[in-house]
Amino acid sequence: MLVGPYLRFRNPAQWARDPAEHYARNLDIAALVDELGYGSVWLTEHHFVDDAYTPSTMPVAAAIAARTRRVRIGTNVLLAPFHHPVRLAEDTSVVDLLSGGRLVVGIGSGYRPQEFAGYGIDRRHRGDLTDEVVEVLLRCWTEDRVNHEGRFFQLHDAAVTPKPLQRPYPPLYLGGVNPRALRRAARLSDGRVAGVPSAELHRLLVQEMAATGRDPAAIGYIHLLWVYVGEDDDSAWREAGVHAEYEHMHYRRWWAEVGRDVMRAPTRQHYIIAGPQTVVRRVTESLARAPGRIDHLVLGMDLAGLSPSLLEASLRRFASEVLPHLR
């Protein structure tokens, strides 16, 4: 299991920093993550967010590749409906080369209505769009020339070069823990999933893998936990609590827009904001509940608006006082 933090570049108005300085400081954080012995650093994307949540992931991944030497650089997740598969194949191949073969590609379908409206895409097609984007992406990574007549894309003699450094292509994880998404993962990513399903849905994935002649032992998950490590439980909440509340409010509102109340529990339950001992206990308990193998643990440590100095302190405490227990 590789462990590493998110960098989402959120910059809320009430804690706003100069955008150029904000990006530069986050690249410094990525270099620190590499130095501290983490195994990975993670990016994601959202669009049309008033706090400038990262909208363009691959340029950031390339910048991080230039500032680091060892960590894997992952996307959890790229939103397939907003990417042309040929351009996605080209961008990911270049980043994999620039990083020396350190890219991990997580892809999801997206869910926020505002994003689909802004791109002029019918949200009802997001599942079919994701299927076609991933199918074409895999072909562009592995075939010399691609001809494709699909519902959304028509390609004629598309010859994507260069190919990724990792062969046949970078590790691919597909987002979603509903039956359709897991069937997609069984078919297209050898059961690697960005997310952790229930025990019942894990069994469904095992069955789907076996039914398609794939080895269920290949199944692996990306697990996301929101974490801040302070000196102790009380001071941690004083330092980071307001930032966790901001995150919690936004994500809960976004899910409510699509009729899902997935974050009804209090912020303190969803977010691990505590001293090292409590963090060790709660992270270990969460990992123990997973029904299958966790390949990557993503740490949502970059709480929106958190000062760079507090983020750095949290990263250092996790590296020195939590990570050894997980290993």
Side-chain angles (χ1 to χ4, degrees), residues 223-267:
H223 189 25
L224 168 63
L225 291 175
W226 301 97
V227 177
Y228 176 82
V229 189
E231 291 185 356
D232 53 59
D233 292 358
D234 291 338
S235 64
W237 187 259
R238 287 195 302 271
E239 292 167 349
V242 65
H243 303 284
E245 295 283 8
Y246 174 95
E247 296 272 5
H248 188 68
M249 178 269 292
H250 275 74
Y251 282 118
R252 184 170 184 176
R253 187 180 72 229
W254 290 352
W255 281 112
E257 292 171 357
V258 294
R260 295 184 62 187
D261 188 12
V262 299
M263 302 185 75
R264 67 173 63 90
T267 305

Side-chain angles (χ1 to χ4, degrees), residues 59-233:
V60 177
I64 290 176
R67 292 290 304 274
T68 59
R69 292 293 177 266
R70 188 186 50 79
V71 290
R72 303 285 287 188
I73 303 167
T75 64
N76 186 39
V77 289
L78 296 169
L79 302 180
F82 311 134
H83 292 271
H84 192 287
V86 176
R87 169 59 72 183
L88 188 58
E90 292 172 334
D91 287 349
T92 51
S93 294
V94 168
V95 170
D96 197 49
L97 288 164
L98 289 171
S99 66
R102 291 184 282 135
L103 185 65
V104 179
V105 179
I107 296 178
S109 298
Y111 64 95
R112 297 186 62 225
Q114 182 182 1
E115 294 177 318
F116 287 88
Y119 271 93
I121 296 171
D122 190 333
R123 186 180 178 277
R124 293 173 297 179
H125 300 325
R126 66 193 188 103
D128 293 336
L129 252 173
T130 300
D131 287 342
E132 192 168 340
V133 167
V134 175
E135 289 165 1
V136 173
L137 172 66
L138 289 169
R139 293 187 62 195
C140 288
W141 273 340
T142 57
E143 298 178 16
D144 291 336
R145 297 183 182 275
V146 177
N147 291 284
H148 172 82
E149 292 292 335
R151 179 179 175 186
F152 304 103
F153 304 100
Q154 295 77 44
L155 310 180
H156 305 287
D157 207 25
V160 170
T161 58
K163 299 298 186 188
L165 180 61
Q166 298 178 88
R167 296 300 174 93
Y169 45 79
L172 175 64
Y173 290 78
L174 297 182
V177 291
N178 57 70
R180 175 174 181 171
L182 294 176
R183 292 188 181 100
R184 179 189 297 126
R187 182 168 56 92
L188 298 175
S189 69
D190 286 330
R192 290 190 292 263
V193 178
V196 179
S198 66
E200 179 181 359
L201 287 173
H202 172 75
R203 289 191 292 271
L204 171 66
L205 180 56
V206 170
Q207 293 167 4
E208 289 292 324
M209 291 284 284
T212 56
R214 293 174 171 83
D215 185 359
I219 293 172
Y221 298 120
I222 296 175
H223 189 25
L224 168 63
L225 291 175
W226 301 97
V227 177
Y228 176 82
V229 189
E231 291 185 356
D232 53 59
D233 292 358

